[in-house]
Amino acid sequence: MPSDEFYQGEMFRTRPLLPGASTMNQLEKIFEVAGNPSARDIQSWQSPFAAQMVNNVKANQRVKLDELCHQLPKSAKHFIKSVFKLDPAKRGTAETALRHEYVSDFHDEESEISYSHGPIKIGIDDNTQLTADQYRKALYHNIEEMRDESRHLKHEMKPGNSSRPRDKENDNADQNGRSSHRYKHR
């Protein structure tokens, strides 16, 4: 679904950019700004549930970004437009967003950690409906797992670390034999 990237626009107004009363209303507001999704956009989400859901949602009017954020500098509006793309392939990545002139003063490639292993899969099937609280807990759990794994990999790659790489398949039990799912991918 496209809504993840649109929340970046909220940082400019310190309140919701597109406040929706429900999931469907939220999508309608997104489509008012970004336009109704094309069949190609919907296909790019790779989610049968999303495709089924958006069949019931259409923007009745178009809203220009200037109407929502008329006080923003031109470069900020350009930045928001660059992330307001329904097709994730056209949207770019966090890295490309950080290179945008509007946020370039806050970007220090030398000190920032970059995940070079491809797209991050969050392990939550789009076709599974969860409450907001269940979704939030699942996301935080997955983030913690990725953070732990990243720290582990970073430690293994340190110069002078002579320990052999750990076998993730056999790493699911701690020293006392208790099961641990810390490094298990979903």
Side-chain angles (χ1 to χ4, degrees), residues 17-78:
L17 184 62
L18 305 168
S22 67
T23 300
M24 302 301 262
N25 183 247
Q26 182 76 61
L27 288 172
E28 185 179 317
K29 290 182 177 293
I30 290 169
F31 298 158
E32 286 175 354
V33 175
N36 287 317
S38 67
R40 185 176 180 169
D41 291 330
I42 295 169
Q43 185 179 14
S44 74
W45 302 335
Q46 300 176 0
S47 169
F49 177 67
Q52 181 182 14
M53 207 161 89
V54 298
N55 283 333
N56 300 317
V57 180
K58 296 286 182 235
N60 297 322
Q61 62 181 353
R62 284 299 301 258
V63 176
K64 293 186 181 227
L65 189 59
D66 285 340
E67 295 171 29
L68 294 172
C69 308
H70 59 275
Q71 75 284 6
L72 289 179
K74 189 176 182 177
S75 61
K77 290 176 190 174
H78 184 268

